[in-house]
Amino acid sequence: MKRNIVIATVTAAALLTGGTAAAFASSADDAAPSKVHHAATQVDDDRDDASDADEAQRAVQGIKVTADEALKAVANHGTVVSLDLDDDDNRKSWDVELLTKDGKVQDWDVDAQTGKAAQDTDQDD
């Protein structure tokens, strides 16, 4: 019986010592330097706000259809994801990207003069 107690005590001591050694080994690993990844942050420079405003003013000169009207022209085709005013081939149009109910993305063009909406089937974008 004494032999069983001695074996149990030695086993417990070995487990405790081994566990402590493993804990120290783990702690030593945790203290090792690790690589830290930083996300890049883009800072907007406010110095060119006046030129941005001038550019925006020039972009909307001569259009008859507002962004809101362009959105309304295609709203029944899906959920609007993005809206941009394009000036392709000296013809201004609203480029609207939609997400349809079946999860597909569609591009639509709304003429900035007439308000006529047409699906853009050109895949070169």
Side-chain angles (χ1 to χ4, degrees):
M1 182 79 164
K2 285 186 182 183
R3 181 176 174 206
N4 288 342
I5 293 175
V6 171
I7 292 173
T9 305
V10 171
T11 304
L15 288 174
L16 288 175
T17 305
T20 305
F24 283 122
S26 176
S27 294
D29 289 343
D30 291 343
S34 62
K35 291 183 180 179
V36 177
H37 298 282
H38 296 282
T41 303
Q42 183 177 357
V43 178
D44 192 15
D45 190 356
D46 290 339
R47 289 179 287 180
D48 62 350
D49 282 350
S51 64
D52 288 346
D54 292 341
E55 184 179 339
Q57 187 66 32
R58 284 190 302 274
V60 296
Q61 277 182 335
I63 67 166
K64 295 180 181 176
V65 177
T66 65
D68 189 45
E69 293 167 333
L71 292 175
K72 288 177 184 175
V74 297
N76 61 334
H77 297 285
T79 303
V80 175
V81 176
S82 69
L83 172 76
D84 296 313
L85 181 61
D86 287 339
D87 189 4
D88 297 328
D89 301 325
N90 293 325
R91 179 178 87 53
K92 291 185 180 182
S93 66
W94 293 102
D95 180 35
V96 186
E97 187 175 304
L98 299 174
L99 181 62
T100 63
K101 290 180 182 177
D102 59 354
K104 295 181 182 176
V105 175
Q106 292 181 348
D107 290 320
W108 286 76
D109 287 322
V110 179
D111 189 290
Q113 297 301 318
T114 65
K116 180 182 175 189
Q119 187 175 358
D120 183 5
T121 57
D122 185 15
Q123 299 297 322
D124 293 339
D125 294 324

